[in-house]
Amino acid sequence: MTIIMAPEARVTARAAEGWGVTPTSSRTGTFQRASRHTPSDRTGTVRWGHSVRAVTPLPHGTARLHHHNHTTEDFDLVIGADGAWSRVRPALSDAQPSYAGVTLVEAHFGEVDHRHPGIARLVGRGTMSAKAGRRSLVLQRNSNGHVRAYINFRGPRDWHAGVDLADTEAVRVRLLAQYQGWDESLLDILRDNEGGFINRPMFVLPVPHTWRRVPGITLLGDAAHLMPPAGVGANLALLDATELAQSVIGHSTIAEALDAYESVMLPRAAENAKTAQQMLAGLMPDTDSDDAAFPDSLWPADPLPDSRPAHAS
Ligand SMILES: Cc1cc2nc3c(=O)[nH]c(=O)nc-3n(C[C@H](O)[C@H](O)[C@H](O)COP(=O)(O)OP(=O)(O)OC[C@H]3O[C@@H](n4cnc5c(N)ncnc54)[C@H](O)[C@@H]3O)c2cc1C
């Protein structure tokens, strides 16, 4: 359930999933569940702390991985699942993430039901979103009574100019100045958080982001389709990974598998990125008005169709 509020903390709507902010699962929980099925470190299959510098295609459809320690290894298939600032992406495309004009500042609250009853009331069992014009405050309840806050606003990337981001009190003062006139209960999101503020300027890849297929190299998740965080990025990354695995299993060559995977993933990513952009423009309009209305419909009913690579078995 998402609670939608105006800046004076008046509830203007209650919505099920998919309106404004899609509920999210705990990243730590998802990671722990996934890593239970990952071969242990001892097999050498997973190498933690082993970062990649670049990837280059080789003749005969294989690819060379350049590690940060200046060693190299050759593989039949390199999958760039390395996020927004992918080191694999340059092997496929010249696209670079650019600032979307919106910044999210993250804050955290622990044990809200005991320590922050006001925050617990605001967020309820799901999410809360309050908005006026180009600013919003979002709360998401995660597991174990933990609440994550996003302080979101459209503005220049250097909104904190002259303030040391490590100086929590100075950042707090700068943020409070942006939310003058908002209800005291909402301002507690800026006043009572634990730990510091995490500055997250929003970066996006161009839409559509595509490439001519390069043998032995592909991308998934944010590396392929970094988009405004509209509640589907992690889902899409997991879906990409599942479908790519199915495609590799279901085809006799890597080339066929990548054809099948990319022919489904790229259009789906473009469609979701376009919707995420529209959603961002609706939620964070480039306007001086303090309009608190949420756009009526922000996300299509079925944003993640159960699509499969065309030739997967
Ligand atoms: C503020 C915010 C809120 C969000 N909220 C949601 C939400 O509610 N729901 C949702 O679905 N999505 C949300 N997203 C989006 C979601 O976090 C991403 O879409 C998702 O994490 C993408 O997964 P990924 O595996 O592609 O990339 P990442 O999660 O970025 O993982 C990339 C991995 O690659 C590793 N890596 C990076 N560079 C290298 C290198 N050179 N060598 C080796 N490894 C490397 C990194 O350490 C990291 O482990 C949000 C994003 C932001 C910024």
Side-chain angles (χ1 to χ4, degrees):
M1 169 70 74
T2 300
I3 301 167
I4 312 283
M5 285 190 183
E8 67 274 20
R10 177 175 47 86
V11 175
T12 54
R14 290 173 197 275
E17 289 184 30
W19 197 31
V21 180
T22 306
T24 184
S25 66
S26 150
R27 310 291 161 82
T28 313
T30 307
F31 176 76
Q32 283 168 349
R33 279 191 297 279
S35 54
R36 258 182 244 136
H37 302 283
T38 307
S40 81
D41 289 359
R42 283 192 299 278
T43 65
T45 307
V46 175
R47 289 189 233 168
W48 301 110
H50 203 80
S51 63
V52 168
R53 202 157 43 89
V55 179
T56 45
L58 297 173
H60 314 300
T62 55
R64 177 160 296 165
L65 208 53
H66 301 259
H67 299 294
H68 247 287
N69 60 10
H70 296 285
T71 58
T72 61
E73 273 179 282
D74 295 350
F75 294 93
D76 293 329
L77 174 60
V78 172
I79 301 164
D82 50 345
W85 304 101
S86 171
R87 295 300 190 105
V88 180
R89 190 169 53 228
L92 301 175
S93 120
D94 292 332
Q96 287 288 326
S98 60
Y99 179 56
V102 170
T103 288
L104 286 66
V105 179
E106 194 177 316
H108 292 262
F109 298 85
E111 296 179 18
V112 285
D113 300 302
H114 305 294
R115 297 218 299 263
H116 304 282
I119 298 293
R121 262 195 307 279
L122 283 174
V123 74
R125 306 310 305 168
T127 63
M128 185 286 305
S129 196
K131 133 174 178 31
R134 52 174 61 211
R135 277 173 283 279
S136 74
L137 293 173
V138 173
L139 295 175
Q140 287 180 336
R141 186 183 277 268
N142 300 144
S143 43
N144 303 322
H146 190 95
V147 166
R148 186 189 298 250
Y150 290 114
I151 301 144
N152 311 318
F153 44 88
R154 188 173 282 281
R157 199 181 150 190
D158 65 349
W159 64 273
H160 49 80
V163 167
D164 177 0
L165 285 173
D167 182 345
T168 300
E169 290 317 311
V171 174
R172 197 187 310 286
V173 168
R174 178 68 58 93
L175 289 172
L176 280 164
Q178 292 216 46
Y179 288 81
Q180 266 179 14
W182 286 48
D183 188 79
E184 294 297 315
S185 62
L186 291 169
L187 292 180
D188 283 345
I189 296 171
L190 308 175
R191 286 193 288 236
D192 291 350
N193 63 303
E194 287 151 10
F197 294 100
I198 306 163
N199 185 42
R200 295 195 186 280
M202 188 188 295
F203 285 87
V204 291
L205 279 169
V207 182
H209 175 229
T210 58
W211 55 85
R212 287 184 58 187
R213 216 169 50 63
V214 175
I217 307 176
T218 194
L219 302 174
L220 64 78
D222 281 4
H225 44 68
L226 180 65
M227 62 184 78
V232 294
N235 301 350
L236 282 175
L238 290 168
L239 186 58
D240 292 351
T242 308
E243 291 188 348
L244 178 54
Q246 285 173 339
S247 200
V248 169
I249 292 165
H251 290 83
S252 45
T253 67
I254 297 286
E256 284 170 8
L258 294 193
D259 275 344
Y261 162 69
E262 290 179 357
S263 71
V264 172
M265 183 277 287
L266 288 171
R268 175 178 63 217
E271 196 184 314
N272 277 277
K274 216 166 101 194
T275 309
Q277 276 184 337
Q278 287 163 356
M279 189 168 160
L280 181 68
L283 283 171
M284 295 272 135
D286 193 0
T287 171
D288 289 332
S289 137
D290 260 352
D291 185 7
F294 270 75
D296 273 351
S297 82
L298 285 168
W299 200 263
D302 184 12
L304 289 176
D306 183 23
S307 47
R308 301 257 185 279
H311 308 295
S313 61

